[in-house]
Amino acid sequence: MPTLDLSADVVTLTRQLVDIESVSLGEQAIADAVEAALRALPHLEVTRRGHTVVARTHLGRGERVVIAGHLDTVPVNGNLPSRLEDGVLHGLGTCDMKGGDAVILRLAATLPEPVRDVTYVLYEAEEIQAERNGLRLLAQSDPGLLEADFAILMEPSNAMVEAGCQGTLRVEVRTTGERAHSARSWRGVNAIHRAGEVLRRLEGYTPRRPVIDGLEYHEGLNAVFVAGGVAGNVVPDECVVTVNHRFAPDRSEEEALAWVRDFFDGYDVRVTDTAPGALPGLDRPAARAFVEAVGGEVAPKFGWTDVARFTALGVPAVNYGPGDPLFAHKADEHVPVEHLRRCEEQLRTWLSGGAA
Amino acid sequence: MPTLDLSADVVTLTRQLVDIESVSLGEQAIADAVEAALRALPHLEVTRRGHTVVARTHLGRGERVVIAGHLDTVPVNGNLPSRLEDGVLHGLGTCDMKGGDAVILRLAATLPEPVRDVTYVLYEAEEIQAERNGLRLLAQSDPGLLEADFAILMEPSNAMVEAGCQGTLRVEVRTTGERAHSARSWRGVNAIHRAGEVLRRLEGYTPRRPVIDGLEYHEGLNAVFVAGGVAGNVVPDECVVTVNHRFAPDRSEEEALAWVRDFFDGYDVRVTDTAPGALPGLDRPAARAFVEAVGGEVAPKFGWTDVARFTALGVPAVNYGPGDPLFAHKADEHVPVEHLRRCEEQLRTWLSGGAA
């Protein structure tokens, strides 16, 4: 079984984690290693569910925070093992998000008496369908393990705080017509031609950019798929435009859907999947204290992340982790060593009661 | 081996042909039966190429006509064997086009001394890709066998003359963009949205309806496929609209393509396949005589048929055969017995030198 040395520096520990391959649904080895390393620490109570590991302090502090990261990665893409070059660590998962996991494990190992009680969560299956998501399963099976005043999700965010996240909604906008042989097309009605008006509306869309808790969000409405056609000599009777709406967290899923239905008024609109946004929650004391501790700079999170799950549990949450999210899921995934060190240092200072 | 009785009436003979299954590329049995039946007739010279059978009179007449039909059908669709009910013969191939084949075989068997020399052609693989088409292969291997002053293709046309045929041209109209995560869509350019203008132009299209030799044609321009999309969370960088243009036979393939390129000016247009139309050729004496003999009524042919191959060989040709083309390729394919009898009678009269 591979082992982890939590006394090593954060860069070495990130490499150890990266070099244990853990593509989604293949997290057994890494979860075993994480569990064994955490169980060796007497100041933590460790719980395991599937390949998700939870480690908690019980110091009776007035406040509890969750610090969470997922253990799985997208598929290998010629980018293992890890490679350190000119202050940058390359390899699958360096950015998304074993660098964050290493910071979590370093804090867990080296802070026996943080000023806030901490729940460290290292979970499985974030990169695949929501049904398998370890954080989701934990919230269902053991909601008490996630109770907290504040949560930090260590998704890559350039070692800066990204607050809240936008919701996402996918719908199919369908046009219908009547089939005919294309040599006698006037006997039919072309459903693909009718989709022209759907695309015209999309082209004319102006995104809403609401400011929430001082952060400017930026919505989006995009055709992500279009499909229609029966045969090369047939006027088609159906065309489906799949549209992804990203909506700012001041709207609920229901409000966003109502807006989309109105936008495509006159068309058959069917929802395929939806996930709520998360308000930044920067008005909460725990969040405010954290933001101050790490330097005060906050950006809005445009993409959907698991922070929304915490919001749904009533726990304000932010994204804060090493790595540029633009390199997540790329063959040349990497993380600057400086991000790793800065995240570890700032979180340690905050959990030790000092100022950043 | 199944056998054919060419002394039977045309309805019985059609049933015999229908009940020999002959889906494209499975024509061996029917071609063997046709060849054997024709070889038994001493007044005909029979040639076989693949599963295409040619039978010719050599009477030294001043004029030669080709009468042709294909032996294959589209796939079986619960519509075999044949079934006769209330004067209508039902079953796969009754309409497209074993009724016409039966008329051909009846004429071949019962007219030892027609007033025009006749070349009967029963060919393979019309319903699939052009590369396998028996008439095409024959024109390449033995063009002399198709030399004639006039040709009749017995494709279903309601037992009336349909002259010429429209050409067909398929192009891919492509839009490109730039990929981005749909949560930050303003960093990309959506290729599907850009296809909106392509569909807008198609919606605004007004078909040309030129009159040629007194026949009004009716062009068409239709999206037959549209496809685009990378993933549910990605702004797509390509969208392809496949467009089928049906053009009247006063335009060549080159002219039609130039028109299409102009119509989609500003877009990437790639040709995928093209086939020329065929002028009705009703000004030629042989054609005029035939039209008079069968009653004088002529309609334009909108769909593409193998008459265009004869035109390319310099042989004026018309469609004339039993059955309503709207029922071709349908599960409830059928042919009125009256069509079968009328076609046989009118062609016999014409080939015997009488008036219809």
Side-chain angles (χ1 to χ4, degrees):
Chain A
M1 191 182 95
T3 55
L4 297 171
D5 176 8
L6 303 194
S7 70
D9 74 288
V10 70
V11 181
T12 305
L13 184 55
T14 301
R15 297 192 69 166
Q16 289 177 11
L17 288 164
V18 169
D19 293 341
I20 304 173
E21 189 182 311
S22 61
V23 176
S24 307
L25 305 185
E27 299 100 331
Q28 167 112 37
I30 198 167
D32 288 351
V34 165
E35 181 185 2
L38 291 172
R39 284 203 189 276
L41 302 169
H43 62 278
L44 294 175
E45 184 195 0
V46 176
T47 309
R48 175 151 173 179
R49 295 284 182 269
H51 299 319
T52 294
V53 183
V54 180
R56 289 177 296 167
T57 63
H58 290 290
L59 300 163
R61 308 299 193 204
E63 198 177 56
R64 175 174 289 280
V65 297
V66 168
I67 308 182
H70 62 81
L71 292 171
D72 62 322
T73 69
V74 296
V76 185
N77 190 7
N79 46 8
L80 282 183
S82 60
R83 178 172 52 84
L84 182 63
E85 208 177 284
D86 297 332
V88 175
L89 184 62
H90 298 262
L92 176 63
T94 49
C95 169
D96 188 12
M97 57 178 287
K98 292 181 177 180
D101 295 335
V103 171
I104 291 172
L105 292 171
R106 284 288 297 157
L107 298 172
T110 60
L111 284 175
E113 297 196 340
V115 297
R116 298 165 171 88
D117 267 311
V118 187
T119 302
Y120 301 103
V121 179
L122 293 138
Y123 63 101
E124 64 183 327
E126 191 269 351
E127 298 290 6
I128 53 173
Q129 66 273 26
E131 290 70 34
R132 311 298 291 257
N133 184 294
L135 199 61
R136 178 172 176 276
L137 295 177
L138 198 63
Q140 287 177 341
S141 66
D142 302 80
L145 287 178
L146 293 174
E147 271 171 21
D149 299 285
F150 181 53
I152 297 166
L153 188 63
M154 297 207 67
E155 285 280 353
S157 56
N158 285 305
M160 284 173 33
V161 178
E162 292 187 341
C165 79
Q166 299 200 127
T168 179
L169 173 67
R170 253 175 291 270
V171 296
E172 291 180 350
V173 184
R174 199 173 303 264
T175 58
T176 55
E178 210 175 314
R179 287 194 197 184
H181 195 290
S182 64
R184 291 176 292 274
S185 52
W186 56 92
R187 299 196 181 190
V189 177
N190 195 313
I192 294 177
H193 296 189
R194 284 186 165 177
E197 165 66 14
V198 173
L199 301 185
R200 182 169 18 224
R201 291 191 196 174
L202 284 168
E203 257 187 319
Y205 165 75
T206 305
R208 210 168 60 96
R209 300 172 72 158
V211 175
I212 308 166
D213 287 0
L215 305 178
E216 189 188 53
Y217 285 83
H218 193 148
E219 297 192 331
L221 189 71
N222 275 274
V224 289
F225 290 108
V226 61
V230 175
N233 60 355
V234 173
V235 173
D237 58 350
E238 184 176 270
C239 183
V240 177
V241 182
T242 306
V243 174
N244 184 207
H245 179 39
R246 300 290 178 142
F247 54 97
D250 60 340
R251 282 192 177 162
S252 68
E253 290 165 280
E254 293 67 31
E255 287 166 338
L257 176 57
W259 181 85
V260 166
R261 287 198 188 283
D262 186 58
F263 188 85
F264 291 116
D265 186 38
Y267 291 92
D268 175 8
V269 172
R270 304 182 195 178
V271 178
T272 59
D273 66 275
T274 167
L279 283 164
L282 296 179
D283 51 337
R284 314 259 190 125
R288 206 154 46 203
F290 173 72
V291 169
E292 270 166 33
V294 300
E297 216 175 333
V298 183
K301 184 75 178 173
F302 297 120
W304 193 91
T305 77
D306 273 337
V307 293
R309 296 192 199 282
F310 287 105
T311 303
L313 292 169
V315 181
V318 298
N319 296 282
Y320 170 75
D324 182 337
L326 291 179
F327 291 102
H329 303 193
K330 298 283 172 63
D332 63 343
E333 182 173 348
H334 58 260
V335 67
V337 163
E338 188 270 321
H339 283 194
L340 298 173
R341 297 205 198 285
R342 176 145 49 100
C343 284
E344 182 185 355
E345 190 188 333
Q346 291 189 324
L347 283 169
R348 171 171 290 114
T349 303
W350 179 60
L351 292 175
S352 305
Chain B
M1 190 183 94
T3 56
L4 298 169
D5 176 7
L6 304 194
S7 71
D9 73 292
V10 69
V11 181
T12 304
L13 185 54
T14 302
R15 297 192 69 164
Q16 289 176 12
L17 289 164
V18 168
D19 293 340
I20 303 172
E21 188 181 310
S22 61
V23 176
S24 307
L25 304 184
E27 300 98 333
Q28 167 112 37
I30 199 167
D32 288 351
V34 165
E35 181 185 2
L38 290 172
R39 284 205 191 277
L41 302 168
H43 63 278
L44 294 175
E45 185 194 0
V46 176
T47 309
R48 174 151 174 180
R49 294 286 181 269
H51 298 319
T52 294
V53 182
V54 181
R56 288 177 298 167
T57 64
H58 289 292
L59 299 164
R61 308 301 194 203
E63 199 178 56
R64 174 175 290 279
V65 298
V66 168
I67 308 182
H70 61 82
L71 292 171
D72 63 320
T73 68
V74 294
V76 184
N77 190 5
N79 47 9
L80 281 182
S82 61
R83 178 171 53 84
L84 183 62
E85 205 176 288
D86 296 332
V88 176
L89 184 61
H90 298 263
L92 176 64
T94 48
C95 168
D96 188 12
M97 59 179 281
K98 291 182 175 178
D101 296 336
V103 171
I104 291 172
L105 291 170
R106 284 289 298 157
L107 297 171
T110 60
L111 284 175
E113 297 197 339
V115 297
R116 297 163 171 91
D117 267 314
V118 187
T119 301
Y120 302 102
V121 179
L122 293 137
Y123 64 102
E124 63 183 327
E126 192 269 349
E127 298 289 4
I128 53 172
Q129 66 271 30
E131 291 69 34
R132 311 298 293 257
N133 184 293
L135 198 63
R136 178 172 176 276
L137 295 176
L138 197 64
Q140 287 177 340
S141 66
D142 303 79
L145 287 179
L146 293 175
E147 271 172 21
D149 300 284
F150 181 54
I152 297 165
L153 188 64
M154 298 206 66
E155 284 280 353
S157 57
N158 284 308
M160 285 176 30
V161 178
E162 292 187 342
C165 78
Q166 298 200 125
T168 178
L169 174 67
R170 252 175 293 268
V171 297
E172 290 179 349
V173 184
R174 200 172 304 262
T175 58
T176 55
E178 210 175 315
R179 285 193 199 184
H181 195 291
S182 63
R184 292 175 291 274
S185 53
W186 56 94
R187 299 196 181 189
V189 177
N190 194 313
I192 294 177
H193 296 189
R194 284 186 164 178
E197 166 65 15
V198 173
L199 302 186
R200 181 167 21 222
R201 290 193 196 174
L202 283 167
E203 259 187 318
Y205 165 75
T206 304
R208 211 169 59 96
R209 300 173 72 159
V211 175
I212 308 165
D213 288 2
L215 305 178
E216 188 187 54
Y217 286 84
H218 193 147
E219 296 191 331
L221 188 71
N222 275 274
V224 289
F225 290 108
V226 62
V230 175
N233 60 354
V234 174
V235 174
D237 57 351
E238 184 175 271
C239 183
V240 178
V241 183
T242 305
V243 175
N244 184 207
H245 179 38
R246 300 288 178 144
F247 54 96
D250 60 340
R251 282 192 177 161
S252 68
E253 288 164 282
E254 293 70 28
E255 289 167 337
L257 177 56
W259 180 86
V260 167
R261 284 198 190 283
D262 187 58
F263 187 85
F264 291 114
D265 187 36
Y267 290 92
D268 175 8
V269 173
R270 304 181 194 178
V271 179
T272 59
D273 66 276
T274 165
L279 283 163
L282 296 178
D283 50 339
R284 313 261 190 122
R288 206 154 47 204
F290 173 71
V291 169
E292 271 167 33
V294 300
E297 216 175 330
V298 183
K301 186 75 178 174
F302 297 119
W304 193 91
T305 77
D306 273 336
V307 296
R309 298 193 196 281
F310 287 105
T311 303
L313 292 168
V315 181
V318 297
N319 296 282
Y320 169 75
D324 182 337
L326 292 180
F327 290 102
H329 303 192
K330 297 282 172 68
D332 63 343
E333 182 173 349
H334 58 260
V335 67
V337 163
E338 186 272 322
H339 283 193
L340 297 172
R341 298 203 197 288
R342 176 143 52 101
C343 284
E344 182 185 356
E345 188 188 334
Q346 290 188 324
L347 283 170
R348 171 171 289 113
T349 303
W350 179 59
L351 291 174
S352 305

